[in-house]
Amino acid sequence: MARIAAARKAAFHPAPFTHLVAVSKTVDEAGISKALEAGQRLFGENRVQEVQGKFPALKSEYPDLQLHLIGPLQSNKVKDALALFDVIQTLDRPKLAQALATGRDQSGFCPPLFVQVNTGEEPQKAGVMPGEAAELIALARKLELPVIGLMCIPPAGQDGAPHFGFLQKLARDNGLDQLSMGMSGDFEMAIRFGATHVRVGTAIFGAREISAL
Ligand SMILES: *Cc1c(COP(=O)(O)O)cnc(C)c1O
């Protein structure tokens, strides 16, 4: 939190507020409890199944605990995801938009959404290609899905700055004001580009097993 505050102070145009999403994938309930005791309430997770296992008890103890889905969502898990998450950051394809709209019609609820953009155009990575992002945002709006922002994960080992700058412009061009970008290694840079949400795992919880990345 102190590092976020310092980065905001140093930034020319920080977002009005920067939320810390504590990425707790692979962290067990005891580890998450410690963060809750320290006052953290917003957590990011990658897998529906892992959340179903870890969070029910924690959520009943801390009713204001919030969960963001930051990993890829399969269409057949949409129903579960709608029941579990307060925000879904990984809308990345038309088929998923359709599935979310159908799920919303059945459950009566869809949380705020971010569109994930594959800014590095990496074939193995989730996210809509930059050239197709506007079209996906338009489709989501046509389906009356609550898209509020954009999310990206720059290529590992690359300077994040051009990716953050690109995402900021893409959001502005599409009338979106929330930006989920920046991880343990580069969240200070992302804040300079107006991040409203930084997703920080290892800098809070320590290193994960490589196999769990
Ligand atoms: C794991 C993960 C993070 C956190 O990464 P750290 O480098 O541990 O801070 C952020 N965003 C996404 C999408 C992740 O999967």
Side-chain angles (χ1 to χ4, degrees):
M1 288 306 280
R3 282 174 63 191
I4 290 176
R8 287 178 53 78
K9 219 178 233 178
F12 219 57
H13 291 295
F17 194 84
T18 307
H19 299 271
L20 171 60
V21 182
V23 177
S24 51
K25 62 187 180 198
T26 79
V27 178
D28 63 14
E29 287 177 58
I32 296 168
S33 281
K34 260 192 237 162
L36 283 160
E37 281 158 25
Q40 180 66 24
R41 289 294 181 273
L42 175 53
F43 295 87
E45 285 278 349
N46 280 37
R47 291 201 178 89
V48 167
Q49 223 173 332
E50 189 175 337
V51 170
Q52 286 169 327
K54 284 196 307 198
F55 277 92
L58 294 170
K59 262 208 133 162
S60 59
E61 199 177 338
Y62 295 90
D64 57 343
L65 189 164
Q66 293 221 356
L67 279 170
H68 286 208
L69 178 63
I70 60 168
L73 178 57
Q74 294 167 308
S75 302
N76 63 1
K77 293 268 171 69
V78 160
K79 200 171 158 222
D80 292 330
L82 290 176
L84 287 170
F85 292 99
D86 300 285
V87 170
I88 294 174
Q89 294 201 4
T90 50
L91 169 55
D92 63 352
R93 56 196 191 280
K95 191 179 165 208
L96 182 57
Q98 298 283 358
L100 285 164
T102 304
R104 182 263 329 268
D105 292 344
Q106 286 164 357
S107 71
F109 171 74
C110 182
L113 305 170
F114 287 70
V115 168
Q116 180 179 354
V117 184
N118 188 350
T119 56
E121 305 194 35
E122 296 172 278
Q124 83 288 2
K125 196 168 265 176
V128 65
M129 288 297 163
E132 295 163 10
E135 207 176 319
L136 180 58
I137 295 163
L139 170 65
R141 286 183 170 146
K142 190 164 150 243
L143 295 167
E144 297 181 27
L145 292 171
V147 175
I148 60 167
L150 300 180
M151 178 271 222
C152 76
I153 311 170
Q158 270 189 29
D159 178 12
H163 298 271
F164 301 148
F166 175 81
L167 201 71
Q168 182 183 39
K169 179 171 186 313
L170 190 64
R172 201 187 310 131
D173 290 349
N174 285 280
L176 295 167
D177 60 9
Q178 305 286 305
L179 286 168
S180 173
M181 54 191 198
M183 317 203 309
S184 293
D186 57 12
F187 69 85
E188 281 133 328
M189 173 72 74
I191 285 169
R192 271 188 241 161
F193 285 91
T196 60
H197 296 70
V198 293
R199 309 179 308 269
V200 180
T202 48
I204 296 173
F205 296 109
R208 291 178 294 272
E209 307 259 337
I210 295 290
S211 63
L213 287 173

